[in-house]
């Protein structure tokens, strides 16, 4: 039945794939602006510092942004459903400390550790859902609360210290576990001696999420909830379940980011949370400008993260001081948002 | 003869090739209440906008107190003494401030009061205004605590405080109960007694009978008739809508088939009246009645948004107890809610908020391929069909909805629920903000639907009810107060009764 319907649909409407209108010069410029900037940056850095364009360096950039991008993808989905998740950075940091504690203190292996950390991420997502969907705390406030709660909780088991093999507890006992080599490989292995595993993981996650959000009906429903929750509900969408899904996914991806970080660093560093939240939000928001969509979108977030990575890597090569980094990220974010919304208005 | 407070002479206005106002003239004496009547799209709101300085007229003269004016902006109109009060709450003051502060808001903002205001002074001035207008609400509570009707009273009292020459009230009774409307009329009488000219826009006959000294009926941008006291209601009705009504009535359906949906003893609130009702396939039933009569509640119960307080509902031959919209949609019970931007549409940046995506949203489960991959072909085909069938004016199936006119937006909303066969189609105020032409198209599309669907429309507008309905039910206090069939004999006479019933007037 559905086959027949499908064929009549495509036969009956020859102009069905009408090209989207508004392909004026302005909108074309808007759609490709971020790509043009990215190419221009690559060209400039390549001219000044030929090493920049080497495959190894480009892959280093991707590796450097993989965690930010993963968190950014979680934020993207929560933004798409009309929510806001400020707890991603804390969740990732929690993941780092949990992974370290499980292996160094409890002596766990790689597989149970990974499962535990992912479980913690899911738990944090469920906790956010409880606050936001059941108790109806506004999302911004709820996840800000979780940010502090989880950010504080991760410090307690190790009494505020970083976790590494040989650390001494208050009672004099010594932690004698080690990071499992399998676990460390998650952050350090390079396939074919070249491509870092985190980049592969990011690629797989990004492709799966892109298909979900842009090509599957659940993605449509998620965006519909974000656009007008009441309308989505009245159109039959399971709005509460979709919102829970978004927060759980965000928690899951954040804890995955934590795993990759812990595996790269090889210890439970209490400073890892640092700028993760800002960086991943910046990636998701720059993503609004990619393709000039003005909505959270998967491809945009990845490109946004890469753009920031390219810029920081290139400027570091040109000996720009480290303390200018935040300023540069801010300039990219503000610039791309201004560009998108300005061009969008011209299109009317 | 006294000088008219306001006189408009041969005012014309056209949008593109569409002549909206065709040489309209009117004058209002000080202390006179003139009702401006007409169907949606008759040109009422355009005339009001011109008088209020929101839009310029193409030609014509407007005089205040015998002096010709150029009204290029709302501020100029206000300075000339023309103040208008809209029905929308958004315009009606600052929610967070107290009623007293709202009453003197213009004086605060207009620097007519000293910079440092003691609360006592505000209260005194506000009490003075309230006293003059007979406004009886607690002045110290915040505006947000007031009902919609009371906010409207406050807005009128505030306008009155500025001592205007002409007060324009735009559909002030549209969402009021009979009791609330009566308070409003009391206020208008005070305004009138103080020598202010009032232009009262409405298409309710009950309003006209209660408050107007004179009625001017607009149709298709022209003054169709002018009626002075004693008002000939039947003639005014004919001038306003008469011909249209007669022309669109469809032959009565014989109820040969079994009902699609049966309500027995359904109560919309605890211990409310029981509603018994059969809805038949192929029949358009319209429920009408004042705000709060239970029209929307009835639709919400049928769509599974809330359970009835008591009673039984059967769909086909099975009990109907949907747990939510998803249940209802799966069973072929569809609903388009009131106020499309709140209940049906999403901002244009949203993925899937374009024309085709909007139509497809509730049908994605049925139109998707294996594994949930979207069926873009089905989606576009459905949109093309809708565009053709309803005559939606747009640039294509991927057009943005916020670029369409209200009528075309509403066509998309209705087309969404015509895209798959329905057993019961529920439409809540489907003609709100829809021009006359689009309304005709919408009704024609409903009539052209598969006769296996029963259609239930809720509207507070009698004229819309008359045009769309095979059968009209008047709801009052959550029970059925009367039933009408257009096409019955002595129809225009009954129409007046119907207006009165719907407006809830006691006489």
């Amino acid at each position: 039945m559905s086959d027949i319907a499908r064929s009549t649909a495509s036969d009956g409407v020859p102009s069905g794939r009408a090209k989207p209108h508004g392909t004026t010069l302005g909108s074309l410029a808007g759609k490709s602006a971020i790509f043009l900037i990215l190419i221009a940056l690559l060209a400039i850095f390549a001219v000044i510092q030929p090493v920049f364009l080497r495959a190894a360096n480009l892959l280093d950039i991707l590796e450097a942004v993989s965690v930010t991008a993963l968190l950014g993808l979680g934020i993207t989905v929560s933004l798409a459903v009309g929510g806001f998740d400020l707890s991603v950075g804390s969740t990732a940091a929690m993941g780092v400390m949990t992974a370290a504690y499980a292996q160094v203190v409890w002596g766990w292996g790689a597989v149970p550790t990974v499962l535990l950390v992912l479980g913690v991420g899911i738990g944090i997502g469920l906790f956010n859902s409880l606050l936001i969907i059941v108790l109806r705390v506004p999302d911004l406030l709820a996840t800000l609360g979780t940010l502090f709660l989880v950010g504080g909780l991760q410090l307690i088991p190790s009494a505020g210290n970083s976790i590494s093999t040989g650390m001494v507890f208050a009672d004099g006992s010594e932690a004698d576990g080690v990071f499992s080599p399998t676990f460390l490989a998650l952050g350090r292995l390079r396939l074919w001696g070249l491509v870092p595993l985190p980049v592969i993981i990011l690629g797989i996650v990004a492709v799966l999420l892109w298909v979900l959000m842009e090509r599957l009906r659940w993605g449509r429903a998620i965006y519909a909830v974000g656009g007008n929750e009441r309308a989505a509900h009245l159109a039959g969408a399971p709005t509460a379940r979709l919102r829970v899904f978004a927060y759980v996914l965000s928690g899951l991806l954040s804890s995955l980011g934590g795993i990759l970080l812990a595996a790269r660093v090889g210890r439970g560093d209490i400073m890892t949370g640092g700028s993760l939240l800002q960086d991943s939000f910046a990636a998701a928001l720059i993503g609004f400008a990619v393709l000039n969509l003005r909505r959270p979108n998967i491809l945009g977030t990845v490109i946004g993260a890469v753009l920031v990575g390219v810029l920081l890597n290139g400027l570091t090569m040109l000996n720009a001081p480290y303390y200018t980094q935040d300023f540069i990220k801010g300039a990219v974010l503000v610039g791309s948002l201004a560009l998108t919304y300005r061009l969008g208005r011209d299109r009317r | 003869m006294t000088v008219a407070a306001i006189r408009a002479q041969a005012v014309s206005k056209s949008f593109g090739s569409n002549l909206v106002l065709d040489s309209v003239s009117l004058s209002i004496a000080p202390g006179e209440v003139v009702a401006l009547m007409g169907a949606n799209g008759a040109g009422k709101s355009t005339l009001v906008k011109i008088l209020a300085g929101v839009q310029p007229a193409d030609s014509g003269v407007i005089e205040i107190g015998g002096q010709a004016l150029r009204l290029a902006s709302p501020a100029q109109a206000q300075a000339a003494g023309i103040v208008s009060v809209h029905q929308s709450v958004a315009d009606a003051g600052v929610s967070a401030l107290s009623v007293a502060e709202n009453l003197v808001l213009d004086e605060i903002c207009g620097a007519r009061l000293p910079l440092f205001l003691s609360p006592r002074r505000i209260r005194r001035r506000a009490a003075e205004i309230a006293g003059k207008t007979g406004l009886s609400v607690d002045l110290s509570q915040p505006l947000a605590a007031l009902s919609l009707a009371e906010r409207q009273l406050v807005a009128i009292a505030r306008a009155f405080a500025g001592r205007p020459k002409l007060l324009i009230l735009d559909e002030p009774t549209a969402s009021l109960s009979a009791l609330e409307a009566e308070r409003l009329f009391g206020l208008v009488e005070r305004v009138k007694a103080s020598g202010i000219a009032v232009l009262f826009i409405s298409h309710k006959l009950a309003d006209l009978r209660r408050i107007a000294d004179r009625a001017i009926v607009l149709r298709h941008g022209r003054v169709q008739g002018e009626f002075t006291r004693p008002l000939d209601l039947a003639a005014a009705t004919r001038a306003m809508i008469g011909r249209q009504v007669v022309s669109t009535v469809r032959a009565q359906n014989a109820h040969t088939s079994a009902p699609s949906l049966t309500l027995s003893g359904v109560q919309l609130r605890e211990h409310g009246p029981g509603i018994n009702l059969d809805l038949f396939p192929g029949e358009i039933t319209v429920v009408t009645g004042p705000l709060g009569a239970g029209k929307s509640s009835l639709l919400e119960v049928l769509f599974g948004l809330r359970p009835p307080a008591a009673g039984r509902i059967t769909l086909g031959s099975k009990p109907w107890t949907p747990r939510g919209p998803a249940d209802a949609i799966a069973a072929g019970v569809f609903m388009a809610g009131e106020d499309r931007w709140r209940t049906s549409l999403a901002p244009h940046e949203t993925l899937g908020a374009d024309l085709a995506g909007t139509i497809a949203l509730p049908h994605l489960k049925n139109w998707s391929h294996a594994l949930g991959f979207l069926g873009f072909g089905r989606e576009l085909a459905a949109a093309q069909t809708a565009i053709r069938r309803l005559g939606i004016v747009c640039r294509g199936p991927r057009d943005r909805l916020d670029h369409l006119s209200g009528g075309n937006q509403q066509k998309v909303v209705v087309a969404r629920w015509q895209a798959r066969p329905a057993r019961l189609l529920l439409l809540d105020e489907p003609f709100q903000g829809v021009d006359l032409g689009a309304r005709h198209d919408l009704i024609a599309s409903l009539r052209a639907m598969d006769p296996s669907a029963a259609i239930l429309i809720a509207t507070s507008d009698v004229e819309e009810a008359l045009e769309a309905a095979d059968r009209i039910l008047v709801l009052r206090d959550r029970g059925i107060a009367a039933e009408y069939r257009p096409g019955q004999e002595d129809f225009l006479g009954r129409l007046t009764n119907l207006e009165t019933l719907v407006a809830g007037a006691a006489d």
Side-chain angles (χ1 to χ4, degrees):
Chain A
M1 153 66 207
S2 71
D3 277 346
I4 297 167
R6 225 173 285 152
S7 70
T8 48
S10 47
D11 291 344
V13 185
S15 60
R17 289 180 202 289
K19 68 172 179 185
H21 39 260
T23 40
T24 57
L25 207 61
S27 90
L28 202 65
K31 279 195 167 137
S32 44
I34 297 290
F35 287 105
L36 293 178
I37 292 172
L38 191 54
I39 291 168
L41 280 178
L42 289 172
I44 293 169
F45 291 140
V47 167
I48 305 178
Q49 203 42 281
V51 186
F52 181 83
L53 261 193
R54 290 228 185 110
N57 187 52
L58 293 179
L59 285 166
D60 277 349
I61 294 175
L62 289 178
E63 182 179 21
V65 302
S66 56
V67 172
T68 311
L70 273 178
L71 267 59
L73 290 177
I75 290 171
T76 304
V77 177
S78 63
L79 285 175
V81 84
F84 222 92
D85 191 351
L86 290 179
S87 66
V88 290
S90 297
T91 306
M94 179 82 176
V96 170
M97 296 307 271
T98 309
Y101 203 87
Q103 293 177 93
V104 173
V105 180
W106 295 337
W108 284 20
V111 174
T113 299
V114 166
L115 291 179
L116 174 70
V117 175
L118 294 180
V120 167
I122 291 172
I124 293 171
L126 287 173
F127 180 71
N128 279 331
S129 307
L130 172 79
L131 291 178
I132 295 164
I133 293 136
V134 181
L135 302 180
R136 296 178 188 276
V137 180
D139 43 26
L140 202 66
L141 308 182
T143 55
L144 183 67
T146 312
L147 181 159
F148 283 113
L149 207 58
V150 174
L153 181 63
Q154 51 135 351
L155 298 176
I156 293 175
S158 62
N161 296 307
S162 293
I163 301 171
S164 55
T165 307
M167 73 178 285
V168 182
F169 288 100
D171 61 1
S173 64
E174 203 171 293
D176 51 2
V178 290
F179 272 79
S180 122
T182 320
F183 184 87
L184 291 175
L186 285 173
R188 299 175 177 181
L189 181 71
R190 292 195 163 226
L191 273 77
W192 311 289
L194 188 65
V195 187
L197 189 55
V199 175
I200 307 271
I201 293 175
L202 171 66
I204 293 170
V205 169
V207 168
L208 287 177
L209 282 180
W210 183 85
V211 170
L212 169 71
M213 297 299 282
E214 305 280 334
R215 284 294 175 267
L216 297 186
R217 64 185 169 92
W218 296 282
R220 274 289 182 83
I222 286 171
Y223 277 116
V225 173
N228 183 343
E229 184 175 2
R230 183 172 159 73
H233 176 64
L234 291 174
T239 51
R241 259 180 281 162
L242 291 169
R243 293 174 70 199
V244 171
F245 168 80
Y247 286 109
V248 168
L249 186 78
S250 184
L252 183 69
L253 291 177
S254 303
S255 59
L256 179 60
I259 290 172
L260 299 184
L261 266 181
R264 184 192 302 165
V265 180
R267 61 189 227 118
D269 191 331
I270 53 163
M271 298 303 288
T272 38
S275 64
L276 274 177
L277 173 66
Q278 294 98 300
D279 289 0
S280 43
F281 249 103
L285 292 179
I286 294 170
F288 279 41
V290 176
L291 300 173
N292 200 20
L293 290 176
R294 270 184 285 169
R295 62 172 165 86
N297 68 99
I298 299 297
L299 177 64
T301 301
V302 175
I303 303 279
V306 170
L307 180 71
V308 172
V310 164
L311 203 58
L312 294 184
N313 180 288
L315 289 171
T316 308
M317 282 195 169
L318 301 184
N319 292 322
Y322 73 93
Y323 52 77
T324 56
Q325 291 197 350
D326 276 354
F327 177 78
I328 292 161
K329 289 177 207 164
V332 176
L333 178 55
V334 170
S336 58
L337 288 176
L339 191 71
T340 319
Y341 284 91
R342 169 71 209 167
L343 284 172
R345 206 181 50 200
D346 284 352
R347 199 146 54 99
R348 290 197 160 209
Chain B
M1 185 178 161
T2 55
V3 180
I6 182 160
R7 184 196 303 277
Q9 209 121 39
V11 172
S12 294
K13 174 83 184 173
S14 50
F15 295 108
S17 61
N18 193 3
L19 189 60
V20 184
L21 286 180
D22 186 1
S23 192
V24 169
S25 300
L26 62 84
S27 77
I28 308 174
E32 187 185 25
V33 177
V34 170
L36 182 64
M37 307 183 63
N40 285 336
K44 287 178 306 197
S45 47
T46 308
L47 183 58
V48 169
K49 279 180 188 156
I50 288 171
L51 290 177
V54 178
Q55 282 171 358
D58 292 344
S59 62
V61 183
I62 292 164
E63 292 173 6
I64 290 257
Q67 283 198 305
L69 293 173
R70 242 179 55 85
L71 301 175
S73 73
Q76 274 185 20
Q78 219 150 48
I82 300 177
V83 177
S84 60
V85 176
H86 297 280
Q87 54 169 314
S88 110
V89 193
D91 304 342
V94 181
S95 305
L97 295 182
S98 71
V99 173
E101 286 162 329
N102 269 286
L103 283 175
V104 299
L105 196 59
D106 293 313
E107 297 173 38
I108 296 175
C109 298
R112 263 176 290 172
L113 289 176
L115 193 56
F116 292 100
L117 278 171
S118 67
R120 206 157 48 94
R121 186 155 179 173
I122 291 181
R123 270 203 306 275
R124 195 158 11 105
R125 175 74 185 119
E128 193 184 318
I129 297 169
K132 272 189 198 158
T133 51
L135 182 72
S136 57
V137 300
D138 179 0
L139 297 181
S140 60
Q141 61 183 331
L143 190 67
L146 266 54
S147 72
L148 180 72
E150 286 173 327
R151 280 167 160 236
Q152 216 159 32
L153 297 179
V154 171
I156 294 172
R158 178 181 154 198
F160 172 83
R163 309 283 320 153
K165 301 253 174 31
L166 171 69
L167 178 64
I168 302 174
L169 301 176
D170 195 354
E171 302 264 7
T173 56
S175 47
L176 301 191
S177 73
L179 212 66
E180 293 166 341
E182 195 44 52
R183 283 179 79 184
L184 183 124
F185 293 141
L187 190 69
V188 172
E189 269 163 356
R190 299 263 191 144
V191 170
K192 170 183 150 84
S194 72
I196 295 169
V198 178
L199 186 63
F200 192 101
I201 291 89
S202 175
H203 50 232
K204 289 185 180 175
L205 292 171
D207 293 356
L208 170 134
R209 178 160 47 191
R210 172 68 180 80
I211 195 72
D213 297 314
R214 201 148 51 89
I216 295 173
V217 176
L218 279 186
R219 197 163 94 203
H220 302 316
R222 283 200 201 139
V223 175
Q224 198 70 32
E226 221 176 307
F227 302 87
T228 44
R229 282 187 178 275
L231 298 165
D232 180 352
L233 287 177
T237 309
R238 255 195 302 278
M240 191 164 85
I241 46 175
R243 195 181 51 78
Q244 279 167 24
V245 172
V246 179
S247 67
T248 54
V249 171
R250 144 170 106 154
Q252 262 189 56
N253 265 26
H255 293 155
T256 46
S257 49
S260 306
L261 185 96
T262 302
L263 287 80
S264 29
V266 169
Q267 295 176 6
L268 297 177
R269 61 170 154 79
E270 294 290 335
H271 313 297
I275 295 178
N276 296 308
L277 176 63
D278 286 331
L279 297 178
F280 291 91
E283 187 179 55
I284 300 178
T285 306
V286 176
V287 287
T288 182
L291 195 83
K295 304 183 301 283
S296 293
S297 313
L298 175 64
L299 266 56
E300 284 166 13
V301 164
L302 297 180
F303 194 54
L305 288 171
R306 58 162 97 175
R312 256 194 7 259
I313 309 174
T314 39
L315 181 71
S317 53
K318 293 196 192 88
W320 177 235
T321 53
R323 276 166 308 162
D327 267 10
I329 293 166
V333 174
F334 299 160
M335 182 177 95
E338 182 183 11
D339 187 352
R340 57 189 164 266
W341 281 104
R342 223 162 42 78
T343 59
S344 300
L345 309 179
H348 77 89
E349 296 96 345
T350 312
L351 177 70
D354 56 12
L355 194 156
T358 299
I359 292 177
L361 184 63
H363 312 303
L364 291 178
K365 199 182 271 183
N366 301 69
W367 292 355
S368 290
H369 304 304
L371 298 175
F373 277 87
L374 290 166
F376 288 108
R378 284 295 293 273
E379 186 175 314
L380 286 170
Q384 299 276 16
T385 309
I387 290 168
R388 213 170 32 233
R389 205 168 42 79
L390 280 151
I392 300 172
V393 180
C394 62
R395 293 187 299 181
R398 291 289 174 208
D399 204 0
R400 280 168 60 164
L401 293 182
D402 58 335
H403 284 178
L404 305 187
S405 73
N408 283 305
Q409 290 170 6
Q410 191 64 32
K411 284 179 180 181
V412 174
V413 171
V414 172
R416 164 190 276 184
W417 299 111
Q418 295 175 329
R420 270 195 312 133
R423 287 174 84 175
L424 173 62
L425 177 58
L426 308 164
L427 303 172
D428 197 355
E429 296 288 354
F431 309 117
Q432 243 175 17
V434 168
D435 60 282
L436 218 56
R439 190 165 95 203
H440 289 319
D441 292 347
L442 282 170
I443 292 172
S445 84
L446 294 175
R447 297 217 184 279
M449 269 172 69
D450 190 307
S452 62
I455 300 172
L456 182 62
I457 299 174
T459 172
S460 49
D461 187 317
V462 170
E463 179 202 338
E464 293 169 5
L466 287 166
E467 189 178 340
D470 295 320
R471 178 161 65 131
I472 298 175
L473 302 169
V474 179
L475 238 55
R476 253 169 98 183
D477 298 329
R478 291 161 197 264
I480 295 177
E483 181 170 342
Y484 288 84
R485 283 185 181 277
Q488 275 171 328
E489 279 174 44
D490 184 26
F491 183 64
L492 286 178
R494 286 168 170 275
L495 179 56
T496 322
N497 292 336
L498 182 56
E499 279 278 3
T500 314
L501 252 176
V502 170
D507 57 344

